Amino acid sequence: MTDTNIESILHENRSFPPPQDFAAKARITPAELAALATEAQRDNVGFWTRLAREELSWHTKFKQALDDSQAPNYRWFADGILNASYNCLDVHLAANGDKPAIIFEGEPGDSHTLTYRQLTVEVCRFANALKAQGIEPGDRVVIYMPMVPEAIIAMQACARIGATHSVVFGGFSANSLRDRINDASARMVITADGGWRGGKSVELKAAVDAALADSGRSVEKVIVFKRTGEPVAMREGRDLWWSDAVKGQRDRCEPAWVGAEHPLFLLYTSGSTGKPKGIQHSTAGYLLSTKLSSQWVFDLRDDDVFWCTADIGWVTGHSYVCYGPLAAGATIVMYEGAPMYPDGGRFWKICEKLGVTIFYTAPTALRALMKLGNELPAKYDLSKLRLLGSVGEPINPEAWIWYHTVIGKQRCPIVDTWWQTETGAIMASPIPGVTATKPGSCTNPIPGIDMAIVDDEGHVISNPDQGGWLVVRKPWPGMLRTIWGDNARYLSNYWARFGNRYYVAGDTAHQDQDGYFWCLGRADDVLKVSGHRLGTMEIESAFVAHPHVAETAVVSRLHEIKGESIFAFVVCRGTRPTGADADRLAAELREFVGKELGAIAKPDDIRFADNLPKTRSGKIMRRLLRAIARDEEITEDISTLENPAIVEQLRGRT
Ligand code: WTA
């Protein structure tokens, strides 16, 4: 986040009370919210215990609520036994079996609906297929799928048999997929021939083949769902079609009853150092946090049609497409393709067609759609919408106001939800019938969550508008349990800074005079490009894998639509390329990095230099590079640089 953004939200003081007719029907009233907050404050563990008993269906009830004997490796409800898929599906069958669970819209325009009963049958059949292929509780299964219902079926089927899934975003490259498969030692990959995106087919199976070519000793089977019908290579003995795998499988499958702490999934995400880390989530605590937040924040009612536009490859797709809303018995919309296909009205067209009532998306999408003007949304009937949400990065007030007026017609509250892959579920958000919103603020922590902003010494900052570290002071059920295979990194990344007292989110934030939280962005070297999390280290390693590159430093600059975009300073082996040579190499490197990591990691700017600015101890001066990339004034002392003239070159002036 830059100073300019901090400025813009510091000066934002508009406030929007909840619309009266929304508040009148809301699931949570001011009195109820106050009661929840008081209860949580009085006895935080007791609060979660009550809710875990009421909201989850247990095979064996838990006696122990929070186990902090190994803190900060907290455990919740650990002696309880349950199944996540049972809690998302079977519990609804008696009263709501015929209610739509998933309304699917394919990019080419095909569409179908699965009721809770039909979804349960599909999940059971696929779960039986997984068992038939030898998958057992605790095995890791990688899912690399387009946004089709089978992706959810695959996740739920893993949960049903106690296998731990690890979904890899379909936009990641074969190399990224390979690293994740290897780190998780996955026994199986579930994929598709491809998926539709922007009118083109994204070849997923080919990427799986490439990923498994030079690794993948752990992978025994690949199940391939046929979506696009394009020809793919099938390796004898390893690959089988989804349709063949489920053939003859029974449509009932007794859930595997697992302990509350059983790892439901791993999801790889970027940190500031090293390779992406496998964030490990639990079964009961995760499910409780996602279910409750779905109900509280999205005000879910029986007749709602809830559309979270996130891909299942990201945590938002896990928590608010696959698990939270289904645990809450909601009807969800799932859309396969690009927001701009065939034009920028597609989202609004789907809202009209499927009667979407709650719409949850990312600021980057809003900015892109806002840029197209107001005519496209005006063409569609958006009158069913009653609640709007935002997630993934700070929403700039301009986009917020556009969302509020042009999409929500000033009628729909906006819930700006702050959370992370690691937190599992929404941590801070307005409660839509109660909280007055301010554009750009995620307002307050939801009940049970104890968030604070502290200075470098760990003291709570009471001065409004003074920024600091965003921390969580009490464990919560949905929190990550560890980093897969690397608990030391879990401890050092999230806990060590303040002596294990607080969970350190890695964001900076401030609280205003009303106590509202304003998240200012990452405090570390994690970038948010179009809301997607990328580590500078990963991108730098991808660059230096190219034979011409000696060294590189990656920073972000501000981007009108993506929020942040990647800016790389590159030092080549041999002489620095200039003119047409530089353009050619830059284009080649852009493709190269895209191939290494996936298209989302393609740098927007590449600038060649003779060397990089470093401190005496050899550390790259990233802040200086960031200022240069953003054309900001340089405030650091550059006199200690070995070669101060390099600054002019880095600025692209020599
Ligand atoms: C950022 C996405 C401001 C933040 C769910 C966090 C936000 C990172 C918001 C996590 C928000 C997420 N306002 N910033 N409402 N939501 N962030 O793991 O920097 O992909 O640390 O999880 O996104 O990104 P992740």
Side-chain angles (χ1 to χ4, degrees), residues 96-103 113-116 329-332:
N96 276 317
D98 297 325
K99 176 172 175 173
I102 303 176
I103 310 178
T113 298
L114 286 167
T115 63
Y116 271 93
T331 296
I332 63 166

Side-chain angles (χ1 to χ4, degrees), residues 391-394 416-421 507 519 522 528 533:
V391 61
E393 48 176 320
D416 177 356
T417 63
W418 180 90
W419 60 294
Q420 308 178 293
T421 305
D507 277 29
C519 292
R522 301 288 309 188
K528 272 286 183 161
R533 210 164 136 171

Side-chain angles (χ1 to χ4, degrees), residues 126 130 135-136 138-146 150-173 176-191 208 211-212 218-219 221 223 262-270 276-281 286 311-315 317-318 322-323 421 482-485:
F126 195 64
L130 293 178
I135 299 299
E136 292 181 357
D139 284 345
R140 271 83 56 211
V141 172
V142 162
I143 298 176
Y144 187 63
M145 295 275 282
E150 283 69 19
I152 294 182
I153 292 168
M155 292 164 83
Q156 291 281 350
C158 285
R160 190 148 195 108
I161 64 167
T164 299
H165 61 68
S166 177
V167 182
V168 177
F169 173 54
F172 276 132
S173 67
S176 304
L177 175 63
R178 176 200 59 208
D179 291 348
R180 287 158 172 79
I181 290 171
N182 286 346
D183 190 79
S185 309
R187 286 190 65 198
M188 177 185 273
V189 177
I190 302 170
T191 189
V208 171
L212 295 183
S218 63
V219 172
K221 295 281 176 193
I223 297 186
H262 183 76
L264 179 61
F265 66 87
L266 311 179
L267 183 58
Y268 284 81
T269 190
S270 299
K277 38 197 181 180
I279 303 299
Q280 180 181 322
H281 278 286
Y286 172 79
D311 191 282
I312 43 120
W314 307 107
V315 74
H318 282 61
C322 184
Y323 287 109
T421 305
T482 186
I483 293 174
W484 178 256

